[in-house]
Amino acid sequence: MRECMGTHTFEDGYSFRALWTRDKVPAYISWEHWEQNQRKLRENSTKFGFGVSRGSTLLAGRVVCGKCGARMSVHYRDGIPSFDCTKASMQFGEPVCQTFNGRWLEPLVAELVLKAMEPTAVEMSLIAAEDIEQDRARLEKLHQQTVERAKYQADLARRRYEEVDPSNRLVAAELEKRWEEALISQRKREEELNRFVHERPSKLTPQQRETIKDLSNNFRELWNNDATSAKDRQDLVRILFDQIVVQVIAQSECLAVTVHWSGGYISQHETRRTVMRFDDLKNGAELLSRATELYNSGCPRAEMIRQLNAEGYRSARQDQFTDTSINALFLVLRRKGMIGSKPNSIGPWWRSRALSRKLGIKPPTLTGWRHRGWVQTKQVGSRWIFWADADDLPRLQQLASFPAGVEKPDDLTHPKSKMPEFSVNA
Ligand SMILES: [Zn+2]
């Protein structure tokens, strides 16, 4: 046996000096299995920055950059994990490859864990495990038969060698060579069988199966229980998933997530991240245009917030719009010159002065119409907001030009369309 010391390099470039005896002595595990073990040891070690001790995120040590394949480092901002791919910047001084926070990634992974542990999923996994056990038993039998055949061949070669006349040296040498080849072949087959048996996953006892089924029935409760530590959850994620590959799509808020489950299954998902600017949003241009349209329609601020949220728009932080984020939106629209300091007053929502000007009447006249119910209004704070859309505006224009002191016909004093309900508080 000759021991070897050398540098072993992994696919991702990580290398280390180690002592090994590859192909020198009978192996109990395959070379690939050994590499896998080394990788797992490395991933579990905090020395390399991937260990679970780096904070409370579920995903510690599991997130891989979808752009360059490097492991992503994690840091925390306001308790929210943020992932950075710094390999290119650390090694070559290039910009950070990609960065995103785990605000939506973590719940996505937690939900995958919970779904995987649902009773039906666990039942299916147990059935699959049984099938695998049966397949492995069949394969083991095949390996044993191969070993038996190799033993028989070696025994046959030995007997032929022993039976030959020693004076017939050439024949004896040939038979000795065949015997040796048969013995080598026998040893190889035995090694393969040993490896196969050694790599066999431990079989669940009926009691263990029942315990697993029982646990799956209230797993969601256990997962959310305060007594369950972050480390317990991390350990489970590390058992279930080999890696979680995440790629930011086109610098937007969208994340493409590829989950590599232990055992080889791969699933694809989508989630999002916080971005810094409205322009970074996938539908950023659409949002700015819609907000401009609503603003110029005279839409009250609270109604605008409600309307944008109802239409599915989100702030750069990926939250629903609030008084604060709508202010940020207005600031961007003004900076881009998309809106002025006041709405363009194109309706259907109007301030008193704008509608009076549009109708060519004095504001007190409009106030009189409001009292009589001839125009639809709603109080927002200390202001009155008037409603006059394309269907109702011609009626108000006719009403404005109707001679004073003459009784107004009903069709001019009754609104032609209904003002939508809207909230007055953000
Ligand atoms: Zn990267």
Side-chain angles (χ1 to χ4, degrees):
M1 179 182 88
R2 192 165 66 85
E3 290 177 341
C4 305
M5 171 65 96
T7 304
H8 182 69
T9 306
F10 283 96
E11 283 170 5
D12 62 3
Y14 166 69
S15 61
F16 71 102
R17 282 182 70 72
L19 181 74
W20 66 79
T21 52
R22 184 178 186 180
D23 299 333
K24 298 290 183 266
V25 291
Y28 285 100
I29 56 171
S30 65
W31 182 255
E32 291 71 31
H33 193 166
W34 177 81
E35 278 195 324
Q36 203 180 345
N37 286 348
Q38 292 299 322
R39 196 173 289 118
K40 192 142 274 187
L41 284 169
R42 173 184 161 225
E43 287 169 10
N44 289 347
S45 166
T46 54
K47 181 181 163 191
F48 300 100
F50 306 129
V52 290
S53 69
R54 289 174 66 87
S56 57
T57 176
L58 270 184
L59 313 170
R62 280 293 170 267
V63 180
V64 169
C65 173
K67 281 174 83 178
C68 72
R71 293 250 159 209
M72 297 190 75
S73 57
V74 59
H75 65 271
Y76 294 84
R77 197 173 291 146
D78 299 330
I80 295 173
S82 188
F83 298 88
D84 300 315
C85 178
T86 52
K87 189 181 170 191
S89 70
M90 302 260 286
Q91 291 186 352
F92 311 111
E94 290 175 5
V96 170
C97 184
Q98 61 172 9
T99 178
F100 52 84
N101 63 18
R103 197 171 154 201
W104 291 274
L105 183 60
E106 272 208 338
L108 169 78
V109 172
E111 198 50 39
L112 288 177
V113 173
L114 291 168
K115 285 222 168 96
M117 298 304 288
E118 277 174 359
T120 45
V122 168
E123 186 69 43
M124 294 293 284
S125 299
L126 289 173
I127 291 169
E130 241 171 51
D131 290 347
I132 291 168
E133 274 169 24
Q134 283 170 7
D135 284 348
R136 283 194 68 91
R138 272 195 294 275
L139 279 172
E140 191 173 328
K141 201 170 175 186
L142 279 175
H143 276 294
Q144 277 166 347
Q145 285 170 348
T146 313
V147 168
E148 289 305 317
R149 269 200 301 277
K151 270 185 187 167
Y152 173 77
Q153 292 296 337
D155 200 44
L156 194 65
R158 178 185 59 77
R159 276 188 274 123
R160 280 180 182 156
Y161 171 73
E162 285 172 353
E163 284 164 7
V164 75
D165 182 355
S167 62
N168 204 347
R169 280 184 292 165
L170 272 177
V171 176
E174 177 61 26
L175 289 176
E176 187 182 16
K177 191 178 149 211
R178 287 187 193 174
W179 181 23
E180 193 178 346
E181 284 170 356
L183 282 172
I184 291 171
S185 171
Q186 180 190 336
R187 196 180 78 176
K188 277 191 177 167
R189 301 290 91 81
E190 283 170 347
E191 280 175 20
E192 282 169 7
L193 174 62
N194 280 342
R195 256 202 309 275
F196 186 81
V197 172
H198 195 79
E199 288 173 358
R200 178 170 50 201
S202 51
K203 197 177 170 183
L204 292 172
T205 64
Q207 196 182 356
Q208 284 171 326
R209 297 173 75 88
E210 283 313 306
T211 310
I212 291 173
K213 282 184 193 171
D214 285 349
L215 278 173
S216 71
N217 284 328
N218 58 353
F219 183 79
R220 193 172 279 268
E221 201 181 307
L222 276 174
W223 178 265
N224 294 320
N225 196 307
D226 289 342
T228 305
S229 71
K231 188 174 178 311
D232 292 336
R233 295 189 189 100
Q234 286 167 342
D235 286 346
L236 191 59
V237 166
R238 293 163 78 77
I239 290 167
L240 280 176
F241 308 118
D242 282 340
Q243 57 182 31
I244 296 160
V245 183
V246 184
Q247 181 162 4
V248 175
I249 300 173
Q251 296 301 315
S252 71
E253 78 280 20
C254 303
L255 298 179
V257 184
T258 307
V259 177
H260 294 252
W261 298 69
S262 303
Y265 175 65
I266 294 174
S267 59
Q268 306 278 353
H269 312 271
E270 277 182 18
T271 187
R272 53 213 164 101
R273 63 166 185 159
T274 295
V275 289
M276 298 298 288
R277 306 173 310 157
F278 288 108
D279 284 329
D280 291 333
L281 295 170
K282 193 173 84 176
N283 63 351
E286 196 187 308
L287 164 67
L288 297 182
S289 160
R290 176 66 179 140
T292 304
E293 187 186 3
L294 283 171
Y295 178 80
N296 282 331
S297 73
C299 182
R301 166 191 289 253
E303 172 58 11
M304 190 165 161
I305 293 172
R306 192 202 64 77
Q307 192 70 31
L308 287 175
N309 287 334
E311 290 174 18
Y313 293 105
R314 293 291 176 268
S315 72
R317 274 180 56 80
Q318 292 297 293
D319 290 318
Q320 290 215 326
F321 275 100
T322 61
D323 221 20
T324 310
S325 47
I326 206 84
N327 279 343
L329 184 60
F330 284 151
L331 207 64
V332 171
L333 293 173
R334 286 200 181 99
R335 203 176 289 147
K336 285 176 174 285
M338 293 176 78
I339 61 170
S341 56
K342 283 185 179 167
N344 277 347
S345 294
I346 54 172
W349 286 279
W350 305 82
R351 304 278 166 80
S352 169
R353 188 169 297 178
L355 186 57
S356 308
R357 200 165 42 238
K358 179 81 179 170
L359 298 174
I361 57 174
K362 290 198 167 64
T365 309
L366 196 58
T367 307
W369 290 7
R370 171 164 67 79
H371 288 307
R372 291 188 185 94
W374 292 358
V375 59
Q376 297 179 89
T377 60
K378 183 154 182 165
Q379 192 167 17
V380 179
S382 58
R383 279 201 186 112
W384 286 92
I385 299 289
F386 293 75
W387 166 267
D389 63 356
D391 291 336
D392 205 29
L393 196 59
R395 173 186 71 85
L396 293 176
Q397 285 166 328
Q398 282 181 37
L399 191 62
S401 57
F402 208 81
V406 180
E407 193 176 344
K408 311 289 187 287
D410 274 1
D411 62 332
L412 287 188
T413 55
H414 286 81
K416 299 278 186 205
S417 61
K418 187 162 168 32
M419 179 174 72
E421 283 294 320
F422 66 86
S423 57
V424 292
N425 298 309

